[in-house]
Structure formats: C-alpha cells, structure tokens
Amino acid sequence: MSYLEKRAWIYGIVAIVVPVAYAVVLLARRPAAGLADTHYAGPMLVAVGAAILLNIAAGSLVGGPVRRDERDKAIGRLGEYAGFYVMSIAAVVPLVLAMREAPYFWVANALYLALSLAALVSSAVKIVAYRRGF
C-alpha cells in the first residue's frame, strides 16, 4: 500500500470518527428545550481541530517518501473532484437554511455535515481507485 493510499484511509477514518464523536457529544449535552439550544460552537471547534491534528499526526506516523507518479496525481484529482461535487451539492442545504433564517445551530451543523461528507467521499473514491485500479 502506497503512502498516498494510507493517507486516503486515514482521511476517511478521521472523516467518520470525528463527526460521530461530535454528534455523540451534542446528543449527550442536549438540553430539555431541544437540540437547537445546545451549545455547539465549542464542541464543533474542538472537532475541527481534532480532525486536523489527527490527520497530521497519523500522516506523520505512517511516514514514508511521497513519490507521486501520474497514477497518484490522477487518483488525487479524481478524489478531489468527487469531494468538490459533493460539497457543492451538499452546501445547498445550509444555504437554504440560512435563507429561511433557521437557527444558527442547524446552519452550522448542516455545513459541518457537508464538509464531513465531502471528505468521506473524496477518500472513498481515492481508496476505490487505488484498490480497483485507475
């Protein structure tokens, strides 16, 4: 398994684990008044920071030289395009929520979900391309 394929696995695992942990924290802290009244900003910032740090730390632990050939470049482009399209489509939800003047909680969490889905799809496409050939 190449270094870039390992990075795609790490990115995908982090894209699943961190948002799930964030959701568990939110559900555990929800007040009786409803989920929209949850103090979400702190946990969301921690989740974003944790995802960044986990990706950096795991990437440095995996280590190895980054030698990119044409195949790696093409797979990277394909994965990033897929993530871009998912993010572009999923970003419509927070946009509509903002237009409808929904509570900030729902707008912010819809955007975080869109980012998480884009990361997950990007890494999944890269992993499939590495495994099945490109």
Side-chain angles (χ1 to χ4, degrees), residues 1 19 24 48 53 58-59 89 95 99 105 117-118 122:
M1 184 181 314
V24 168
V48 170
L53 290 175
I89 293 167
L95 181 63
M99 288 178 188
F105 173 87
L117 287 175
S122 176

Side-chain angles (χ1 to χ4, degrees), residues 77-88 114 117-119 121-123 125:
R77 248 190 325 269
L78 181 65
E80 295 307 315
Y81 286 158
F84 169 77
Y85 288 123
V86 168
M87 181 64 198
S88 298
L117 287 175
V121 167
S122 176
S123 62
V125 166

Side-chain angles (χ1 to χ4, degrees), residues 31-112:
L35 200 55
D37 292 333
T38 305
H39 296 288
Y40 67 92
M44 184 180 286
L45 289 173
V46 169
V48 170
I52 292 168
L53 290 175
L54 284 170
N55 273 306
I56 291 171
S60 63
L61 286 177
V62 169
V66 180
R67 292 184 308 257
R68 291 182 180 206
D69 57 10
E70 290 302 315
R71 179 175 176 255
D72 289 324
K73 290 177 186 176
I75 289 172
R77 248 190 325 269
L78 181 65
E80 295 307 315
Y81 286 158
F84 169 77
Y85 288 123
V86 168
M87 181 64 198
S88 298
I89 293 167
V92 171
V93 174
L95 181 63
V96 169
L97 287 170
M99 288 178 188
R100 297 191 48 101
E101 298 179 2
Y104 294 138
F105 173 87
W106 296 112
V107 177
N109 282 288
L111 185 57
Y112 182 62

